[in-house]
Amino acid sequence: MEFNLEVHLIIEGSGLVAKGRFSTRNNKEIVNVAHNYIRSIMHDTGYRRTFIEKVIVNCTEEITEEVREIENRPIPPMDDIFW
C-alpha cells in the first residue's frame, strides 16, 4: 500500500514542512513509518528541539496524536538485557 505523508514540524522556533510518498504492507504500519520519517528529519537537523505540529496521511487523515504517543514513550530499562 502506498500513501502520501505530510509532516509539519517546529524546530527551535522555525517551521518545516516535509512531504513524501511511502509504502507499507498494511495500514497499521503507517504511524511507525511516519515516526521513522520524523526521526530521520531530526537526525538531519542535529536533534535540535523539535515539536510535531501536524502529521497528515493522503491529505485527509490526521495521525498527529498517534505519532506523538510513539515519540513520548519512555525508554525501557536496559537492566533486563543479557549481552
Side-chain angles (χ1 to χ4, degrees):
M1 169 189 169
E2 292 193 357
F3 63 96
N4 295 316
L5 185 65
E6 183 176 331
V7 177
H8 296 249
L9 304 173
I10 298 176
I11 301 174
E12 290 189 350
S14 297
L16 172 79
V17 176
K19 299 178 182 182
R21 186 155 181 85
F22 300 90
S23 62
T24 62
R25 287 180 263 161
N26 57 43
N27 288 342
K28 296 176 183 176
E29 295 179 359
I30 291 176
V31 176
N32 289 326
V33 170
H35 179 256
N36 289 336
Y37 184 50
I38 291 170
R39 295 299 289 180
S40 72
I41 293 170
M42 291 173 68
H43 173 78
D44 292 343
T45 59
Y47 292 101
R48 294 184 290 165
R49 191 168 33 103
T50 302
F51 175 72
I52 301 169
E53 186 175 27
K54 192 183 300 185
V55 182
I56 302 172
V57 177
N58 291 331
C59 300
T60 56
E61 183 181 354
E62 186 169 337
I63 59 169
T64 308
E65 289 305 316
E66 292 92 339
V67 175
R68 284 181 185 161
E69 280 182 23
I70 293 174
E71 184 65 25
N72 294 328
R73 284 183 191 160
I75 299 171
M78 298 289 286
D79 299 341
D80 298 336
I81 298 177
F82 297 101
W83 299 98

